[in-house]
Amino acid sequence: MKYILVTGGVISGIGKGIIASSIGTILKSCGLRVTAIKIDPYINIDAGTFSPYEHGEVFVLDDGGEVDLDLGNYERFLDIRLTRDNNLTTGKIYQSVINKERKGDYLGKTVQVVPHITDAIQEWVMRQAKVSVDEDGVEPQVCVIELGGTVGDIESMPFIEAFRQFQFKVKRENFCNIHVSLVPQIMCRCSTPLETAVKEKISMFCHVEPTQVICVHDVSSIYRVPLLLESQGVVGYFCTRLDLPVETRARKMLTKWKEMSDRSDRLLEHVSIALVGKYTKLSDSYASVIKALEHSALAINHKLEVKVPPFLAPLHLTGFLVCCVYSGVLVPGGFGVRGTEGKIHAIRWAREKKKPFLGVCLGMQLAVCEFARNVLGWADANSTEFEPESKHPVVIEMPEHNPEQMGGTMRLGKRRTIFKSNNSVIRKLYGDVEFVDERHRHRFEVNPDLKHHFEEKGLQFVGEDVDGERMEVIELEDHGYFVGVQYHPEFTSRPIKPSPPYFGLLLAAAGKLQSYLLKGCRLSPRDTYSDRSGGSSPDSEIADLKYPSLS
């Protein structure tokens, strides 16, 4: 096993996650099997109880793990499936050591940061690095580890010490460290390539070779970062430093990234989506949602514009702005009552004015509330999350939810949804499959006892759980695209494989959904990848870049 540790200096948020993801992408393009671990030095056990304003979105994994959003970057870049133990926190380490101490595993000894905490960190990394992240179940060859925060933080010190010891335990040829730091220029960050003299000075004072000083300047999109690193000889360095059995020639996977990056830079047509959310002051709160929209917009050759309407404005103004200015409406997941009435009004306008609409998790639940109020005539219809005494509780708390404990008590992780209709638009977008497995994160659900009232008026529940007890997908009849999903499809969207519900929203917003469906879910030639990107040729190696279908 080869270990690559990515640390950061000067400031937090400098881009360690993108660097770690890009390094992994380059090595995977060489044919190596790559996994990733994110270390967060905070004392929380996991990210499940964080406010989105604290650390951005909570990313959900197949096994229900609620983790740091950087694991979303790893999954999207590397197209892998991680588990909850790929996110290591101080809380998890101390909890595991204390549990051992209580069981008597350290009987007779004083339990200390060194060696017990540092040993536990090393053991966790070595154990998790061997866990397969690919469908074939084969053990990874390289583990990229990102240490969150900044070197010098008090909370990071046990991890720094653990890896100081670790390098000797696994031997020099199996471990290296990438340190991401800030190089101040006139604009306070490295916005342009470094001059040779600057790289030589960094080399001298950091005691590394000039070839080991890699400049990551501003680029047009994050998809260019792996290409930028590869162009500076990163693969050659790793091959020598870690004795990797790979060739250094151009690789198919990076050809994909160049094709995709070139297309991204030359998009001319625009499509605008209204993101009617609660945590819009921090874009990271909806990182996966925005990425899923970007993946879908790129697939149809459009430049995405995500706009945040003033949904807390007077209700009539919200709906007017949403429908007059934007091509489609997205109401994402969330918790709490604040802003829900504004969201409901935006949903009403999208329904009545035939605007493309996608509701995710809470967004689907609010679409059901809106329909109940304005079509079924149940004026007080609501979720019991917001109005426990409602006479028409169209959204209810799940029986297994424990309200006394917040962390890890939701319906989490990968669950199966069975399609109940052969004519469903969302089913066709998924490739006309009988079922899909998507990730969930919710405490409330649509009241199944009221299902027939909605379906009689045209709101169809086209997807349910395996027992037929939970409503998973809604579609509105006689509407171009009005879809709600209880799950979070954004968590499994990939740059080359966009999420079907988001893809449908973008197709509808661009006026292409019906032609796409009539063509058997195939894009027109102008919207598929070709050799227009310059450096790539339309041969068999990049045939899989095209979007012939989503099956």
Side-chain angles (χ1 to χ4, degrees):
M1 177 65 65
K2 309 295 183 180
Y3 300 91
I4 300 173
L5 175 66
V6 180
T7 56
V10 185
I11 59 172
S12 184
I14 199 169
K16 299 185 299 297
I18 296 300
I19 296 298
S21 300
S22 298
I23 292 296
T25 299
I26 295 170
L27 295 178
K28 187 170 183 178
S29 76
C30 298
L32 296 168
R33 296 180 179 275
V34 183
T35 186
I37 294 174
K38 172 66 188 298
I39 296 176
D40 287 302
Y42 47 67
I43 298 175
N44 304 64
I45 298 297
D46 60 29
T49 55
F50 280 148
S51 162
Y53 287 138
E54 191 77 18
H55 279 273
E57 76 169 3
V58 176
F59 191 80
V60 179
L61 302 171
D62 279 353
D63 66 354
E66 298 173 284
V67 297
D68 185 86
L69 59 84
D70 277 319
L71 274 78
N73 281 328
Y74 305 157
E75 287 203 340
R76 285 187 287 269
F77 270 65
L78 298 171
D79 194 14
I80 55 179
R81 297 294 181 101
L82 301 172
T83 67
R84 66 177 76 238
D85 286 343
N86 287 86
N87 192 189
L88 176 57
T89 69
T90 295
K92 285 182 179 179
I93 286 293
Y94 273 82
Q95 185 181 58
S96 68
V97 170
I98 290 170
N99 287 342
K100 283 185 176 182
E101 188 274 334
R102 291 290 85 188
K103 289 190 298 183
D105 289 3
Y106 305 119
L107 201 58
K109 295 185 178 180
T110 302
V111 180
Q112 297 176 294
V113 173
V114 180
H116 301 99
I117 296 295
T118 53
D119 282 354
I121 292 168
Q122 295 172 63
E123 291 164 6
W124 189 300
V125 168
M126 295 181 75
R127 180 178 65 250
Q128 193 60 28
K130 296 178 181 180
V131 176
S132 175
V133 293
D134 296 304
E135 293 181 357
D136 57 15
V138 178
E139 184 176 308
Q141 297 165 283
V142 180
C143 180
V144 180
I145 307 157
E146 178 191 350
L147 176 57
T150 305
V151 172
D153 292 344
I154 291 176
E155 58 189 6
S156 298
M157 288 182 178
F159 295 98
I160 297 294
E161 172 59 22
F163 284 108
R164 186 193 67 80
Q165 300 172 18
F166 190 70
Q167 63 181 324
F168 303 115
K169 178 180 292 186
V170 300
K171 308 303 180 186
R172 184 180 187 277
E173 63 272 18
N174 296 319
F175 178 89
C176 72
N177 173 215
I178 296 174
H179 186 68
V180 185
S181 191
L182 181 71
V183 179
Q185 293 182 346
I186 296 174
M187 295 180 66
C188 301
R189 68 185 298 262
C190 185
S191 56
T192 57
L194 292 179
E195 296 178 358
T196 301
V198 176
K199 295 181 72 170
E200 290 176 347
K201 189 171 185 179
I202 294 172
S203 165
M204 179 176 64
F205 284 102
C206 294
H207 198 62
V208 296
E209 292 288 335
T211 54
Q212 294 173 237
V213 180
I214 308 297
C215 172
V216 185
H217 55 79
D218 289 356
V219 287
S220 56
S221 76
I222 61 172
Y223 304 127
R224 290 207 174 275
V225 177
L227 303 173
L228 180 62
L229 295 175
E230 200 269 347
S231 69
Q232 296 182 63
V234 167
V235 172
Y237 170 74
F238 283 132
C239 286
T240 302
R241 177 67 175 76
L242 297 176
D243 192 24
L244 295 175
V246 299
E247 298 180 10
T248 57
R249 61 178 177 82
R251 287 158 293 278
K252 172 184 172 183
M253 187 172 171
L254 287 187
T255 302
K256 291 183 181 184
W257 283 80
K258 185 179 189 308
E259 190 92 0
M260 183 170 57
S261 300
D262 289 346
R263 163 182 278 202
S264 177
D265 288 347
R266 288 204 302 271
L267 298 176
L268 298 176
E269 296 181 83
H270 290 243
V271 60
S272 59
I273 299 296
L275 178 60
V276 189
K278 178 180 177 181
Y279 308 107
T280 51
K281 291 181 180 179
L282 180 65
S283 61
D284 275 354
S285 300
Y286 298 111
S288 292
V289 167
I290 294 172
K291 290 301 178 187
L293 290 170
E294 289 177 353
H295 301 162
S296 296
L298 190 59
I300 62 170
N301 216 26
H302 278 60
K303 188 174 183 63
L304 175 69
E305 293 180 348
V306 178
K307 302 293 185 181
V308 180
F311 72 91
L312 294 179
L315 297 184
H316 66 281
L317 178 60
T318 300
F320 177 80
L321 287 172
V322 166
C323 289
C324 293
V325 180
Y326 308 113
S327 307
V329 180
L330 171 63
V331 179
F335 299 92
V337 70
R338 184 174 68 86
T340 54
E341 293 302 317
K343 296 175 189 177
I344 287 174
H345 210 72
I347 293 169
R348 178 179 182 179
W349 273 81
R351 178 179 59 81
E352 293 180 344
K353 302 300 181 182
K354 307 290 187 182
K355 284 285 184 178
F357 167 79
L358 175 62
V360 175
C361 196
L362 176 63
M364 168 183 152
Q365 296 172 6
L366 293 180
V368 171
C369 291
E370 186 280 321
F371 194 88
R373 293 181 186 181
N374 299 305
V375 178
L376 300 184
W378 301 344
D380 74 329
N382 213 327
S383 167
T384 57
E385 180 182 5
F386 313 131
E387 182 47 71
E389 305 302 322
S390 171
K391 295 179 180 179
H392 295 92
V394 296
V395 177
I396 59 175
E397 191 171 28
M398 294 186 298
E400 65 267 39
H401 173 228
N402 176 12
E404 301 301 320
Q405 183 173 336
M406 297 299 289
T409 61
M410 291 182 280
R411 184 172 179 242
L412 292 165
K414 185 170 70 174
R415 308 293 176 111
R416 180 156 294 180
T417 294
I418 310 295
F419 289 116
K420 298 298 183 180
S421 169
N422 292 328
N423 298 319
S424 161
V425 170
I426 199 71
R427 175 173 178 164
K428 293 176 182 177
L429 289 169
Y430 272 104
D432 202 26
V433 295
E434 295 182 357
F435 61 85
V436 293
D437 295 322
E438 294 278 13
R439 299 175 182 178
H440 292 67
R441 185 178 187 248
H442 64 110
R443 294 190 180 98
F444 291 80
E445 62 179 345
V446 174
N447 189 340
D449 294 338
L450 303 177
K451 170 186 172 182
H452 65 282
H453 293 287
F454 293 93
E455 295 197 322
E456 287 172 359
K457 293 294 185 178
L459 187 66
Q460 303 298 320
F461 293 90
V462 299
E464 300 175 2
D465 74 341
V466 292
D467 298 320
E469 298 176 352
R470 292 200 161 104
M471 304 300 105
E472 293 281 357
V473 185
I474 61 169
E475 283 184 21
L476 181 62
E477 294 178 350
D478 301 320
H479 191 291
Y481 191 78
F482 190 97
V483 172
V485 292
Q486 183 58 71
Y487 49 81
H488 289 266
E490 64 270 17
F491 291 142
T492 53
S493 183
R494 303 290 185 261
I496 306 294
K497 295 182 289 187
S499 162
Y502 285 89
F503 190 47
L505 175 65
L506 268 294
L507 283 168
K512 297 185 176 186
L513 178 59
Q514 293 309 312
S515 63
Y516 179 77
L517 296 174
L518 289 173
K519 291 176 182 177
C521 291
R522 292 179 179 273
L523 290 168
S524 61
R526 69 178 298 276
D527 289 326
T528 57
Y529 286 97
S530 70
D531 65 343
R532 295 194 309 271
S533 62
S536 304
S537 59
D539 57 20
S540 59
E541 278 212 344
I542 60 170
D544 57 337
L545 288 173
K546 296 178 172 59
Y547 287 80
S549 71
L550 289 175
S551 58

